[in-house]
Amino acid sequence: MLLRWAKPQDSPELAQVFYAAVRKGASPYSQEQRIAWLSTPPSGKPWTDRLARMDVLIAENDRQIMGFMSIEAGGHIDLAFIRPEHQGSGLFRRLYADIELKARKGGEPRLWTHASLMAQPAFKAMGFVVIHHETVARHGQNLRRAKMEKPLT
């Protein structure tokens, strides 16, 4: 497995990983909620612009992206998605370790995220705590998540 920073040409495959992580495999969300969250893989300028605002760390094997995690200014982890067939393999932990190292080197005092129900256990295992629970309305569905953080100082 290789860990590397994403390039603009990775955006279509990153979209496929995001889509697979949300829509396939085990989930505490209903099928209706998953469709409301992400009806199709993200694409086009909105997706490439979103990725361009952050540093995205990719884990790949045999030229296939297995998962990725992002960090942006202020210590915000916006995206953290693993293909269903690689979930539970320790991949989240490996990506997170490099993201935290980058944040520490950049002088970030904390890392924070809005974690889905699926991601909360993984972030908790990395030392994050829930600041508060929240519900986000998307396309007629309510999706529960939590704002979580981990102080780095």
Side-chain angles (χ1 to χ4, degrees):
M1 178 181 49
L2 169 72
L3 295 182
R4 66 172 176 84
W5 296 101
K7 298 175 237 174
Q9 60 265 34
D10 294 316
S11 66
E13 192 173 355
L14 291 172
Q16 292 300 319
V17 173
F18 183 14
Y19 183 79
V22 171
R23 296 289 300 278
K24 301 177 180 176
S27 175
Y29 296 104
S30 71
Q31 191 61 24
E32 294 80 11
Q33 289 172 313
R34 291 159 76 164
I35 291 167
W37 180 356
L38 193 63
S39 61
T40 61
S43 63
K45 187 166 173 33
W47 177 240
T48 58
D49 287 352
R50 183 177 181 184
L51 292 173
R53 291 191 316 263
M54 56 190 81
D55 293 318
V56 180
L57 185 61
I58 290 174
E60 70 181 0
N61 194 8
D62 299 324
R63 296 185 177 256
Q64 181 193 48
I65 296 175
M66 302 159 54
F68 67 97
M69 190 177 292
S70 71
I71 185 169
E72 52 190 334
H76 181 223
I77 297 175
D78 182 26
L79 303 167
F81 294 97
I82 309 293
R83 285 188 192 272
E85 62 269 25
H86 299 291
Q87 292 172 1
S89 68
L91 187 55
F92 183 97
R93 182 178 296 276
R94 291 191 64 190
L95 287 165
Y96 175 77
D98 280 18
I99 290 291
E100 182 177 314
L101 182 61
K102 181 174 184 57
R104 287 182 183 280
K105 286 182 178 179
E108 295 291 352
R110 71 179 182 132
L111 288 170
W112 67 279
T113 191
H114 289 104
S116 70
L117 296 176
M118 295 183 308
Q120 286 175 39
F123 279 107
K124 184 177 179 185
M126 298 299 101
F128 281 70
V129 295
V130 172
I131 302 305
H132 63 265
H133 294 276
E134 53 195 20
T135 301
V136 178
R138 285 215 173 122
H139 307 289
Q141 295 290 319
N142 291 320
L143 305 172
R144 292 181 298 135
R145 67 181 190 183
K147 182 173 183 182
M148 301 180 77
E149 74 173 8
K150 178 181 179 180
L152 298 180
T153 54

